[in-house]
Amino acid sequence: PINIGQCRSYGNPTSIVEYDSIKSDCLQAEGCLFCDKYCIHADEVDIRKIVSLKFVIKESRYIAKNEAHYLSVFSIVLDRVDNILTQLKSVHNKADVVETIELDVFENENLSPYWERKLSVLVDMGVLK
C-alpha cells in the first residue's frame, strides 16, 4: 500500500511517460501515478486515497503565483487522477462509489488518513488555510 493506491514493486520505478516536472522516483506521490508499478484497487480505501490527493492539490491552488503556474505544475497530475477515476467508474462499475467518495472528500473533507495528516501539517505550517 502507498498513499495513493498500491505499488507492485516499491523502490523499482519505471516511468510510463516522461515529464520534466514529474519523476517516478518512489519519493513523491505524483510520480507514482506515472510509474508502471502503480496500481489501484477498485475499493473505497484506494479510491479515497486518490481523491484525497486531488483534494489537497486543489486546496493548494491559491498559493501558486498564478493560474498558469498552478496548471504548469499540477494539470498533468490532475488529468491523470481524473483518467484513473474515469476508468474505475466505467471499467469496474464503481461510478456510484467514486461519486460518493468524491462528494464526501470535497464536501466533508473526509480524507484518507495520510492525506488528512498531510493537509493538517500544511495548515499548521501556514502554507494552506
Side-chain angles (χ1 to χ4, degrees):
I2 57 174
N3 57 29
I4 58 167
Q6 304 294 317
C7 178
R8 290 188 296 259
S9 184
Y10 187 81
N12 221 1
T14 304
S15 295
I16 56 174
V17 180
E18 294 294 330
Y19 292 108
D20 292 335
S21 60
I22 306 287
K23 303 291 182 222
S24 295
D25 60 8
C26 300
L27 299 176
Q28 298 176 347
E30 307 85 39
C32 294
L33 294 171
F34 301 95
C35 179
D36 70 344
K37 310 301 185 300
Y38 174 75
C39 58
I40 186 167
H41 291 139
D43 64 11
E44 185 174 330
V45 172
D46 279 3
I47 294 169
R48 186 170 302 277
K49 288 178 185 180
I50 197 167
V51 172
S52 296
L53 166 66
K54 182 178 176 178
F55 177 85
V56 172
I57 289 172
K58 287 185 173 269
E59 283 293 296
S60 68
R61 177 177 236 131
Y62 75 92
I63 63 171
K65 289 187 283 188
N66 55 44
E67 185 69 9
H69 175 252
Y70 173 81
L71 292 175
S72 73
V73 174
F74 291 115
S75 66
I76 298 164
V77 176
L78 292 172
D79 288 347
R80 178 75 171 133
V81 168
D82 286 340
N83 179 270
I84 291 167
L85 293 173
T86 298
Q87 288 181 6
L88 287 170
K89 287 177 184 177
S90 62
V91 175
H92 297 286
N93 297 318
K94 295 287 183 171
D96 290 343
V97 174
V98 171
E99 290 167 10
T100 299
I101 292 171
E102 285 180 316
L103 183 67
D104 191 32
V105 167
F106 281 90
E107 295 291 324
N108 304 319
E109 293 188 21
N110 191 8
L111 283 64
S112 69
Y114 173 87
W115 290 105
E116 185 175 347
R117 283 188 307 275
K118 182 85 158 181
L119 182 63
S120 178
V121 166
L122 292 171
V123 169
D124 290 346
M125 291 173 49
V127 176
L128 298 177
K129 295 179 186 175

